Amino acid sequence: MAILISVSGVRKAFAARPLFDNLTFSIESGERIGLIGPNGAGKSTLLRLLASQASPDEGTISFQRGLRVGFLEQTPTFRKDATVHSTLLEGAADPDDWESIALADEIASKLSLLDPSQKVEELSGGWKKRAALGRELVRQPDLLLLDEPTNHLDLDSIYWLEEWIRNSRLATLTITHDRAFLQKVSDRILELDRRNPGGLLSIQGDYITYLEAKEQLVASQERREVILKNTLRRETEWLRQGAKARTTKQQARIQRAGTLKDEVSEISYRNQSRTVKLDFQATERNPKKLIEAKAISKSWGRGSLFSNLDLVLTPGKRLGILGANGCGKSTLIQTLLKEEEPDSGSVSHVDGLQVAYFQQNREALDPKVSVAKTICPTGDFVDYRGSRVHIRGYLDRFLFTQGQMDMAVGKLSGGEQGRLLIAQLMLQPANVLVLDEPTNDLDMATLAVLEECLTEFQGAILLVTHDRYFLDQVANQILSFSPFPEERGQLTSFASLGQWETWFTDRSRKPRSQLAETLPSTPVSADVPTQKKRKLSFKEQRELDSMEEILHRTEKELAHWTAESTKAENTSHAGKLLEISQKMTQLQAEIDRLYVRWSELE
């Protein structure tokens, strides 16, 4: 395979803080690399160097001649009033060229961006990510850099992105803390961590292979540390006895002791494993029912978000809420917290209910305020679990160094800001924790500690997360909004994520007419009765009876044009390809309209 990028002896520091030093590796064509490492290690900075958006302090980065690099940033930026179409064309060398326009239309169709005139600012976070990805694909890159691509995506979009990366011929370098996603899209793992020899560990294979290799490496380094310490102790004892004569052999032994001391210090540093110390404060009083919802319903515009939902939150219940972006997850949480009134039904809280809320948009953080002042605006002590704790000692639990105490929050990495939000949350006594995408940007060591902490929390938890592994470890019940358009507003409860995945996979393979026959067999506590149907008119009944046949015919036509778009005689003819792409876009829009109408009639 051809080498696309070669990195040699690269060093980069942030202010006086070194991120990495003497970094050396290469990326070859077709590789799918996962980049991991602790928060603050410099992963996003490294991607900016590879995208030529920053320069190294030392060392060289060599690019294959003519190499095209795409870069999907963690938080993509867009021009003011940009539409989907204009955003995609930003990636084109010549946005007025008809071949570029045809390519943009084709990619929009593949990404299901069906309305090219829609303004990007009106899209949800997940659809903005798709638009930004489309912009990079229009560049026709040889290497695609992805920085936390699953953040803000719903599960359906994550499944789509996994499949796209696995089937793509592009080389990809992906930063992600989503372990399930990492396992699916990587055939090589790079771990950026100053504790690794050379600052970088490269493992050929998937994430499971990396875990096995890392375990062996850590065990080997720990054994070597013991051996070196024993050798250093013997040499030190010999030196203290005093040499009878300063022979060449004895001088060499003295020098060897000094070298050993440096080597022991280095390997001890590598073997250090600092972890975040998390412990949420549950209130002393935890009654049997914290929140109870009876037959609650909520609509938005002309559509139902949820209806006739019965739900009880008790101490120890950890409820994971699944659903596509915009389906109503946040509205459901706000309704349960009484921040919004239901259209019908009632929500009751136990007296003195205390709620701690982790919000994914980080609006609680002021980027100009220091880390210490964010946690403790006045004084030097915080009240934690009934005791006064010095701010420096408290922040040390979250791995913030002394030098970071007075640093502005805006200069922290995304993961460090996430840890700071959790530090704020832990100061609030609560018997209900609401966590909205708490895993974004957190490193894997912090995620493991957070998982353990949440499973030991004595109150109730409402959890929204795209991280399947984290959800599976924490939640003991899943409440899912239906992923199928014709069932909008229906919720189903599952005992585990595994049960949901089996159900979802099984239903996705069935024809639409058979979906209603595959309800989960396990009893659920959040029972959702079907809505009372009104009698259809004669014309509506005829429309409903013919709907399945029309949908089948339209989907068959879309499949035909999709096949045509991949034929060599069409891909080499830009005008023909543009015509096919526009036809595909129209058909997909019609299919979506038909499904919505089918749902209304049923």
Side-chain angles (χ1 to χ4, degrees):
M1 291 188 292
I3 294 178
L4 302 180
I5 295 181
S6 180
V7 177
S8 178
V10 164
R11 181 181 190 275
K12 188 67 178 179
F14 183 75
R17 181 185 175 195
L19 292 175
F20 41 79
D21 194 12
N22 199 29
L23 214 58
T24 300
F25 67 97
S26 62
I27 300 174
E28 298 183 351
S29 59
E31 282 194 302
R32 296 196 299 270
I33 303 173
L35 179 61
I36 63 176
N39 294 142
K43 300 185 295 296
S44 295
T45 300
L46 179 58
L47 254 62
R48 285 196 292 272
L49 293 177
L50 298 178
S52 300
Q53 293 188 4
S55 302
D57 298 335
E58 296 177 10
T60 58
I61 301 178
S62 303
F63 298 87
Q64 183 189 66
R65 181 175 294 180
L67 181 71
R68 294 189 297 266
V69 179
F71 181 23
L72 179 64
E73 296 181 84
Q74 191 174 136
T75 307
T77 57
F78 304 93
R79 294 177 181 173
K80 187 177 180 182
D81 296 327
T83 64
V84 169
H85 185 68
S86 68
T87 296
L88 265 58
L89 285 176
E90 287 175 23
D94 182 2
D96 296 322
D97 180 64
W98 55 274
E99 289 187 355
S100 298
I101 295 173
L103 178 61
D105 287 340
E106 179 187 359
I107 289 172
S109 176
K110 289 182 178 179
L111 295 178
S112 299
L113 295 164
L114 303 177
D115 185 359
S117 63
Q118 185 172 12
K119 289 188 177 181
V120 176
E121 61 190 21
E122 297 172 353
L123 298 174
S124 67
W127 287 104
K128 284 179 180 177
K129 268 284 175 73
R130 287 204 186 200
L133 176 60
R135 177 171 57 188
E136 300 311 309
L137 294 180
V138 170
R139 299 185 199 280
Q140 302 183 68
D142 306 296
L143 169 65
L144 184 59
L145 309 174
L146 303 163
D147 192 352
E148 294 290 359
T150 63
N151 283 3
H152 311 298
L153 292 185
D154 53 40
L155 275 182
D156 189 45
S157 298
I158 291 174
Y159 285 139
W160 171 85
L161 184 58
E162 279 179 354
E163 196 65 23
W164 182 85
I165 292 176
R166 290 167 66 182
N167 294 330
S168 172
R169 296 180 181 179
L170 297 179
T172 57
L173 178 59
T174 306
I175 296 175
T176 181
H177 297 121
D178 185 330
R179 288 153 286 185
F181 183 79
L182 187 65
Q183 172 65 19
K184 294 285 182 64
V185 304
S186 303
D187 55 24
R188 179 184 171 198
I189 302 294
L190 292 179
E191 184 189 43
L192 185 62
D193 190 338
R194 294 186 67 203
R195 294 172 296 181
N196 288 325
L200 191 72
L201 175 64
S202 177
I203 301 296
Q204 200 68 40
D206 57 18
Y207 181 58
I208 292 175
T209 306
Y210 154 79
L211 290 175
E212 293 169 346
K214 182 70 173 180
E215 183 180 9
Q216 294 174 4
L217 177 64
V218 169
S220 174
Q221 286 192 162
E222 288 175 347
R223 287 195 298 270
R224 176 152 180 77
E225 182 181 2
V226 171
I227 293 170
L228 287 176
K229 283 183 175 178
N230 288 336
T231 304
L232 180 60
R233 187 184 69 253
R234 291 195 299 270
E235 295 294 323
T236 303
E237 288 174 353
W238 178 84
L239 288 172
R240 283 176 179 157
Q241 292 173 2
K244 295 180 180 178
R246 295 302 177 189
T247 63
T248 302
K249 184 176 181 179
Q250 289 163 340
Q251 287 289 348
R253 197 165 180 178
I254 293 170
Q255 291 173 1
R256 181 186 172 202
T259 303
L260 271 173
K261 187 175 181 182
D262 293 339
E263 190 174 351
V264 167
S265 176
E266 173 66 19
I267 200 167
S268 295
Y269 169 75
R270 289 183 199 162
N271 290 343
Q272 284 179 0
S273 181
R274 294 190 69 201
T275 56
V276 182
K277 300 173 185 176
L278 301 180
D279 188 7
F280 290 99
Q281 299 187 64
T283 57
E284 294 182 4
R285 177 173 170 267
N286 265 334
K288 289 185 178 180
K289 292 182 180 180
L290 299 170
I291 297 177
E292 183 174 13
K294 293 182 179 179
I296 60 171
S297 301
K298 190 74 176 178
S299 298
W300 181 261
R302 297 177 61 186
S304 171
L305 297 179
F306 49 87
S307 60
N308 297 324
L309 176 65
D310 295 316
L311 183 66
V312 176
L313 275 185
T314 58
K317 177 175 281 190
R318 302 187 296 275
L319 183 66
I321 302 176
L322 278 182
N325 291 333
C327 71
K329 297 189 297 291
S330 296
T331 302
L332 174 59
I333 289 175
Q334 290 163 1
T335 304
L336 292 174
L337 297 182
K338 291 187 175 182
E339 294 178 1
E340 285 199 23
E341 288 293 325
D343 296 340
S344 61
S346 63
V347 177
S348 59
H349 290 180
V350 69
D351 291 340
L353 181 74
Q354 292 180 282
V355 178
Y357 202 147
F358 181 102
Q359 295 177 307
Q360 63 164 315
N361 53 20
R362 298 177 182 166
E363 290 179 353
L365 297 179
D366 186 337
K368 297 178 182 178
V369 176
S370 70
V371 171
K373 291 298 182 184
T374 297
I375 297 298
C376 186
T378 58
D380 295 321
F381 290 86
V382 295
D383 184 8
Y384 176 64
R385 301 181 70 85
S387 302
R388 279 167 53 83
V389 179
H390 195 276
I391 183 62
R392 294 187 182 276
Y394 181 70
L395 285 171
D396 184 64
R397 297 171 59 95
F398 300 89
L399 308 187
F400 289 105
T401 64
Q402 297 297 313
Q404 289 177 295
M405 301 293 176
D406 298 322
M407 182 184 292
V409 169
K411 294 183 178 180
L412 298 177
S413 70
E416 288 167 335
Q417 289 183 10
R419 290 208 308 263
L420 192 62
L421 277 172
I422 293 175
Q424 277 187 325
L425 199 66
M426 280 177 51
L427 293 175
Q428 305 174 36
N431 38 27
V432 174
L433 284 179
V434 180
L435 305 171
D436 188 1
E437 296 291 1
T439 65
N440 284 355
D441 308 320
L442 294 182
D443 59 37
M444 292 174 184
T446 304
L447 286 175
V449 177
L450 183 57
E451 287 164 7
E452 183 178 352
C453 175
L454 292 177
T455 55
E456 294 175 354
F457 181 66
Q458 295 178 2
I461 296 174
L462 288 172
L463 173 64
V464 177
T465 179
H466 66 273
D467 189 324
R468 286 158 289 173
Y469 184 87
F470 185 85
L471 183 66
D472 192 45
Q473 296 296 305
V474 174
N476 53 21
Q477 183 182 345
I478 303 293
L479 184 62
S480 171
F481 287 79
S482 177
F484 305 107
E486 64 273 16
E487 296 179 348
R488 179 176 172 81
Q490 293 187 24
L491 286 91
T492 308
S493 184
F494 299 87
S496 67
L497 180 65
Q499 188 189 41
W500 178 88
E501 287 182 329
T502 301
W503 172 81
F504 175 74
T505 302
D506 182 54
R507 292 184 58 130
S508 298
R509 291 173 179 165
K510 289 183 177 289
R512 296 286 175 176
S513 59
Q514 298 178 20
L515 288 182
E517 302 171 8
T518 55
L519 292 174
S521 57
T522 301
V524 299
S525 60
D527 186 26
V528 189
T530 55
Q531 292 178 314
K532 185 179 179 180
K533 300 180 181 179
R534 68 173 177 84
K535 185 174 176 63
L536 296 178
S537 67
F538 176 75
K539 184 178 179 181
E540 287 173 329
Q541 187 62 53
R542 286 190 61 187
E543 184 183 1
L544 178 60
D545 292 342
S546 62
M547 188 66 71
E548 187 173 356
E549 182 184 349
I550 295 171
L551 265 169
H552 179 71
R553 188 167 61 245
T554 311
E555 287 178 334
K556 188 176 180 180
E557 188 178 356
L558 176 61
H560 164 73
W561 288 112
T562 301
E564 287 291 316
S565 70
T566 63
K567 291 183 179 179
E569 61 267 26
N570 293 327
T571 55
S572 60
H573 192 296
K576 182 67 174 175
L577 189 61
L578 174 59
E579 184 181 326
I580 293 173
S581 297
Q582 290 173 341
K583 184 70 175 175
M584 289 168 61
T585 301
Q586 293 168 1
L587 287 169
Q588 185 62 61
E590 177 62 12
I591 289 170
D592 289 342
R593 187 196 68 78
L594 288 170
Y595 273 125
V596 171
R597 179 59 178 160
W598 193 5
S599 178
E600 291 173 352
L601 292 172
E602 285 190 325

